[in-house]
Structure formats: structure tokens, C-alpha cells
Amino acid sequence: MLVYLSQPDNANAIPGSIRITTSIEGGVIKKSITYKRRTVDRTTANLLEGYKVTRLVAVYTDETGNKRVAGSPDYPLKFSYTSSDGVFTCKLEGESLTIDPFLI
């Protein structure tokens, strides 16, 4: 099932906290996106708990300013988070057979 959101959820990442890593193992591309989210409250925690059981696709801006897509319906990202030091530390991880496509 593909779910379309008319209004995407903004990650509300703390500027400078976003880290994107990519590695290749046996022809499989592994992607990890981590960021910190400042708002630590029950509403945000409930939202993040929902993401843990949702198949996700992320749109991000790479280091050269290009918009890209990580994850797909066939290779969705998995979400996890922790809470410490007054922030949520969020992580999206996934695998793919191709590099993240560019958005035009």
C-alpha cells in the first residue's frame, strides 16, 4: 500500500545536526540519516512512535544543495529515535540497489 501525504511532515531538525551516510556492501547501498529534533513533548513522541511502524520515504537536500529521495515503496526506510539531553535523536535507515534519485 502506498500512502500519499498531502502535506509532508517536516523533520524539524536542529540546523547542523543532520548526518547522512552511505555505504555499499555486496552491491547493496546502505543509507543512514540521523538528526536531532528539539521539541521533546508527548505529542511529538506519539508522532515519532507512529513512524517506527510506518514504511517511510525521505526527501532531503544533499551537500551540494540538490533535493534527493531516500527509500522507496519497495525499499522503505526504518525509523528509530531516542530521547536525551532535551532532544530527540532520530534515525532513518534503509537499503537499496540504486543511488538516491534526484528530484527535479
Side-chain angles (χ1 to χ4, degrees):
M1 173 171 56
L2 177 65
V3 177
Y4 173 76
L5 299 176
S6 60
Q7 185 64 30
D9 180 40
N10 184 332
N12 290 321
I14 296 171
S17 72
I18 301 170
R19 300 287 179 257
I20 301 170
T21 59
T22 304
S23 63
I24 300 174
E25 294 179 22
V28 176
I29 299 169
K30 297 185 177 210
K31 172 73 64 176
S32 174
I33 302 171
T34 59
Y35 64 93
K36 295 185 185 298
R37 188 173 178 141
R38 184 171 291 123
T39 307
V40 177
D41 59 22
R42 178 173 287 152
T43 302
T44 304
N46 287 338
L47 177 71
L48 298 180
E49 279 295 317
Y51 290 159
K52 288 171 56 176
V53 295
T54 304
R55 298 164 54 96
L56 299 170
V57 174
V59 175
Y60 68 94
T61 303
D62 70 13
E63 63 280 353
T64 60
N66 294 306
K67 286 199 176 238
R68 308 214 29 202
V69 179
S72 70
D74 291 333
Y75 296 97
L77 300 173
K78 294 177 185 169
F79 182 85
S80 62
Y81 74 98
T82 59
S83 176
S84 65
D85 300 325
V87 298
F88 286 122
T89 301
C90 304
K91 186 174 203 172
L92 290 156
E93 294 181 290
E95 298 179 345
S96 180
L97 300 177
T98 61
I99 63 168
D100 294 344
F102 293 90
L103 289 178
I104 299 174

